[in-house]
Amino acid sequence: MRPVGEVQSVLMIGFGAIGRHVARLLRPEISTGRLTLTALVRDLGKHTEHHGLGAELVQVDSPEDSRWSGLTADVVVECAGGPAAKSFGPAAVAAGIPFVLTSVGALADQSTRRALLAGPGDLHVTNGAIGGLDVLEAAAQAQALNEVSITTAKAPRGLVQPWMNAEEIRRLNQLTPAAGPLTIFTGTPAEAIVKFPANVNITVALAWATRGLGFGAVADDELMEAALHRTGVEIRADPRQEDSHHEITATGPAGEFAFSISSTPSPENPATSGLTALSVARTLRTCMAGLRRD
Ligand SMILES: NC(=O)C1=CN([C@@H]2O[C@H](COP(=O)(O)OP(=O)(O)OC[C@H]3O[C@@H](n4cnc5c(N)ncnc54)[C@H](O)[C@@H]3O)[C@@H](O)[C@H]2O)C=CC1
Ligand SMILES: O=C([O-])CC(=O)C(=O)O
């Protein structure tokens, strides 16, 4: 991999629900020739119906694949999940290419976090399925937040995990609207992302935004470690829930803040908020504006 500089080219890792939604959102740039989009997929055969979205699809498994080193891009964006973020992210950053992280939970893993912060490529953490983070980041940088917490409520079927036993899965699947929401986890983002890797990237994004003011990668790393253990997380399975619902609260000398986000699910993945792709497209556009040399 090497950076190109002037050409607005985006390399996307993964072309699932979020990746395809982002491609549709970038249509204004793609259709006017201002942007080229290449998406890395693991199996081209599974994407025969996805060629009309303006992306060139390339089969590459990992950064160890020889085809990876032949690729060029101005920005790499990950839309593929934690394992892909942990392998492709450090490779892009080490090659000096800005990297947009969607599977923000990867930042909970210390060695990945250090690699992503090591540069020379810049790390861009998308807000994903939540918002209000500019306010909380501002307050946290002034050391004016004491408590930060997030409660996430989703339809039960999207919360089933491979480690759950048969009884836990049955309980989730048989929840009725009359029973109301069931709290299935309370703890920290550090614990939550291990148990629910594709459901609570937002809790790690909240920790990242409220880590406080660090000067340099070492400080950012240490502040993030503390934030991952300080932020409160509650996950609820709510059978009345069609949308994904997130409640963020924060208090401190800066004031009291509350954000309530109900996002229409992704049309292709009911467990993912549709807002995620919108946020990723915005983060990408911010990166590209920074790269433009006109
Ligand atoms: N920050 C946020 O708010 C959110 C983040 N996410 C993250 O985004 C990820 C993707 O979400 P969806 O698009 O809904 O999932 P999805 O399952 O629809 O799509 C993921 C795609 O990536 C592909 N993939 C996986 N590893 C790959 C690799 N090494 N190379 C190329 N392709 C690879 C899969 O085959 C699949 O097609 C989730 O796993 C989660 O980590 C999801 C929701 C919200
Ligand atoms: O899409 C959402 O509502 C949140 C999500 O899955 C995540 O943060 O991983």
Side-chain angles (χ1 to χ4, degrees), residues 185-193 203 227-233:
F185 173 89
T186 52
T188 66
E191 298 157 343
I193 195 68
T203 69
L228 283 168
H229 292 91
R230 186 182 56 220
T231 309
V233 177

Side-chain angles (χ1 to χ4, degrees), residues 129 154 193 196-203 244 246 271-274 276:
K154 285 191 176 188
I193 195 68
F196 299 89
N199 295 114
V200 292
N201 287 276
I202 47 170
T203 69
S244 296
H246 311 298
T272 287
S273 293
T276 312

